[in-house]
Structures are given as structure tokens and as C-alpha cells.
Amino acid sequence: MQQTNRLKPFFENINFEREDNTMVVNFGPQHPSAHGQMRLILELQGEEIVKSRPHIGYLHRGMEKMGENMIYNEFLPTTDRMDYIAATSNNYGYALAVEKLLGIEAPRRAEIIRTMLIELNRIISHLFWLATHALDVGAMSVFLYAFREREFALDLIEDYCGARLTHSAVRIGGVPLDLPDNWCEDLEKYLDILAIEIPKYEGLLTDNRIWRMRLENVGVIDNETAKSWGCTGPILRATGQKWDLRKEMPYGIYPELDFDVPIATAGDSFARYQVHMQEMRESSKILRQLVPMYKASPSQLMANEPQYISATKEDIMTQNYALMQHFVLVTQGMRPPRGEVYVATESPKGELGFMIVSDGSPYAYKMKLRAPSFWHTSILEEVLVGHQLADVVTIIGNLNVVFGEIDR
């Protein structure tokens, strides 16, 4: 009894109940759904999130500074490592920005091949998103089926450039290779298979009670919120905003193509799922239109600009001046005129922009990259609030962020 009295003042100073009753937890650093290292600091009221703060930078590689310390052609393969799920889209966006700086255009056949590759890459990216997102929510079968079709698409990419993940399939001024024999026929066979398989994915998911419970009214982003946070791509289009750079600010061969811009209106995770599924169908439609356009196009693959672009391999091997010019371009780099450009393209995740400032040297004086995943991670600060802890992985996976283009 005497010992109890001695301990009584100690226990009186302990506060067992807090008025707010919140708990701060670290979600990460790890990469569930995020394809890279992210840390979320979550403040919880029981299971409900009352505050969210994303922390990034664990994967930082200084991509923009690398672009300022490499000659223009040397930096192009590095862009593969940004959104490595859609490497060709990064190659293309960067090449287009440099071409605008140089004042040159790629030949028609090269532009058609580029568009084939980036639309095939869009399908690959969306299949990867569907597979991993479904797995995060607990749907194992869809993961296996979607990865199967993704592998077939990667076979086509590999047939063209020899790589499956980081493609480096585009060059400043055009493309390095023509399409292999029978590539277009293989592409059409693949599109026929995909047209059969996409409805099967939807059959497994769209009316699945668990899938709808986990996605409907979860991660709702209205149109004004999406625009204020700088969201683009499927996230913005799922809020009812019909905005696609291929239509609104057309580039390349897109003005000649007939395709629709899928939208949804609910703005939740299920709406974004619907937009992704329909976009795969629209990319298939684009690819089918490109096949006859390719067959009717002239054979030139690279722009004829000796000041900036190397001659063909045949000329380099047979003409002394072409060999010397190639040597200078490879070792010292091209020298674009002074100026500043910003070029934005519609990557699978949204607006991908490259801003380049040139001072006339072989290196960019300043390079800035506008990567969609950066903005889509920022909105987690707002969109997670009010949801349950179990919804966090669902929302991150549904927003489709890749940290290679965030921690740049």
C-alpha cells in the first residue's frame, strides 16, 4: 500500500486520453503502387486520414542537370529512364523539342514510325497500369492476363529496336531504322488479339462487386481541383474535361488521324479506370490507320540537315566529308541557334513537356522537364484526406505515378 502511494503522483502525470486522438504514421519510404521510392506522412483519426503529406526525392538522379551536361544526342537515351514504362514517349518529346530548337522536321515516314511506336507504348503503359493496379486491389487474374498482352507488345518493340524497356527508338531528326519485314502484319495480328482481350479484362472487373466497392467514390477529383493542381491526361479527362494535346495542340502526324478523346464525369478511381480502358481502344484505332500511311510513305528516315544530323551510314562509309561531319557531331555535338523552346506532348500519363534554353553551345544552357507524375503525386496532399488507410494504395496505384520522372 505504501508503494502504491509513492507511484500515484507518477501515474497522475500520464495523459492516457488525447482530445484529438490522432496518430502520425509513415507510409514508406517504399513503393507500393508508386514504382519508385515515396514516403507519405499520414495523420490518422482512427482509420481515417485527416492529413497527408507526400515526401519525394529518394530516387533523385538530377536528370535536368544531366541534360545540361551532356550533348543533345547523348542525353536522348537518358530520357528513357524517366517514365521507363513508356520510354519512347520520353524519347519523342525530347527529340521534338530539340527539332523545334533547330528549326527542322522529321521526314514523313519517320514521323509515322514514331507515332506507331508511341501509340504502341501507350497501350503497353496502360496494360502495365491495369495489371499492377488490379493486383494492388487484390485481382490476381487480371494481372497475369494484362501482362501477357503487354509481353506481346514488347515483342513488337524489340523486333524494331532490340530493347524491351528502355527503347531509345527515336533520334533527333527522325528514326534510326525502318520497320522490319512483316512488322505491320504482326502489329495487325496483335491488335486483333487485343480487341478480344480488352472486353475480357472488363468482364472480370467492370461489374465486379469488390472492384467497384474499392474504386467507386474513392479518390474523387473534381474538374476545378484537377486543374488547380495541374493534373493532365486520364486524370483530367476522368473529370469531364476533354483535353488531349494530340487534339488541342496537334503535332506530328496526329492532325491526319481520326480518333476520339475518351472522357468520364465522376472523377473517381472507377472513372479513371474507364478512361484508361477506352484509350487502349483509341490507340488501336490510330495504329490501324498508320499501317496504310506507312506503306504509302517515302523511304527517308532522317532529316537532311548536315549541320545538325549525321548522313546515312552508306554515305559515312563511302564519302570522306560525311565521315568527318559524323565524327564532329558525335564527339563535339551539334550547336543549335540561341533560343528558348517549350514543347509538350501527350504521354500516357498526361502532359510531358521539355523546356530547353540554348546559348549556341553543344550543351543546353538550361533544361526543365514538366513530368505529369510530379503533379499527380502532389494532389495526394488533398485527395487522400477523408479516406480510410486501406484506400491509400488503391488511390496511389490508380493515379499511375512513376517516380523516375518525379525525382528528376
Side-chain angles (χ1 to χ4, degrees), residues 54 56 221 225-232 235 342 349-353 368-381 399 401 405-406 408:
I56 63 175
I221 303 173
T225 302
K227 289 190 287 188
S228 66
W229 281 94
C231 295
T232 53
I235 294 178
Y342 175 78
K349 294 174 176 58
E351 180 180 334
L352 174 66
K368 184 68 177 174
L369 313 180
R370 197 271 183 209
S373 292
F374 179 83
W375 308 93
H376 300 162
T377 302
S378 303
I379 201 173
L380 289 172
E381 185 171 318
L399 293 180
V401 295
E405 66 177 16
I406 297 172
R408 57 191 183 279

Side-chain angles (χ1 to χ4, degrees), residues 151-374:
E151 287 297 308
F152 293 152
L154 290 175
D155 287 343
L156 289 167
I157 295 284
E158 186 179 19
D159 287 344
Y160 177 74
C161 66
R164 296 178 74 82
L165 187 68
T166 51
H167 306 148
S168 298
V170 175
R171 296 291 182 272
I172 296 168
V175 291
L177 302 164
D178 204 350
L179 295 179
D181 294 340
N182 301 320
W183 195 89
C184 289
E185 288 72 15
D186 292 340
L187 173 64
E188 289 179 318
K189 290 177 185 176
Y190 172 72
L191 296 177
D192 291 338
I193 294 171
L194 194 66
I196 297 170
E197 297 302 326
I198 289 177
K200 291 183 181 179
Y201 308 151
E202 292 173 327
L204 288 167
L205 295 177
T206 302
D207 294 323
N208 185 300
R209 181 167 58 93
I210 298 173
W211 179 255
R212 295 189 78 118
M213 288 174 64
R214 293 298 303 273
L215 267 66
E216 284 187 316
N217 299 316
V218 172
V220 177
I221 303 173
D222 61 51
N223 185 255
E224 289 303 316
T225 302
K227 289 190 287 188
S228 66
W229 281 94
C231 295
T232 53
I235 294 178
L236 180 61
R237 291 192 282 274
T239 68
Q241 184 78 41
K242 202 166 188 176
W243 179 264
D244 188 314
L245 292 175
R246 295 172 296 172
K247 287 282 192 181
E248 303 299 329
M249 303 169 63
Y251 51 88
I253 211 79
Y254 283 109
E256 302 178 35
L257 298 172
D258 176 32
F259 64 98
D260 297 321
V261 178
I263 62 169
T265 56
D268 59 3
S269 295
F270 190 77
R272 293 188 282 274
Y273 155 74
Q274 291 175 310
V275 170
H276 277 89
M277 300 304 289
Q278 193 59 32
E279 283 191 2
M280 286 194 280
R281 292 186 170 96
E282 294 303 317
S283 290
S284 297
K285 187 194 297 185
I286 290 172
L287 286 164
R288 290 189 188 277
Q289 294 174 59
L290 288 169
V291 171
M293 294 171 67
Y294 165 78
K295 293 178 179 178
S297 63
S299 60
Q300 186 180 356
L301 298 176
M302 292 291 289
N304 184 18
E305 297 287 343
Q307 185 179 356
Y308 305 121
I309 309 297
S310 291
T312 63
K313 185 173 182 180
E314 181 182 356
D315 289 344
I316 291 171
M317 299 298 289
T318 57
Q319 298 180 19
N320 190 40
Y321 178 77
L323 176 62
M324 291 189 294
Q325 173 226 14
H326 174 70
F327 178 80
V328 170
L329 287 173
V330 169
T331 57
Q332 299 180 23
M334 65 180 78
R335 293 179 177 270
R338 292 173 177 267
E340 178 179 333
V341 297
Y342 175 78
V343 171
T345 56
E346 188 71 32
S347 84
K349 294 174 176 58
E351 180 180 334
L352 174 66
F354 287 84
M355 190 273 284
I356 304 174
V357 180
S358 169
D359 61 356
S361 71
Y363 304 90
Y365 176 75
K366 182 70 176 175
M367 184 174 295
K368 184 68 177 174
L369 313 180
R370 197 271 183 209
S373 292
F374 179 83

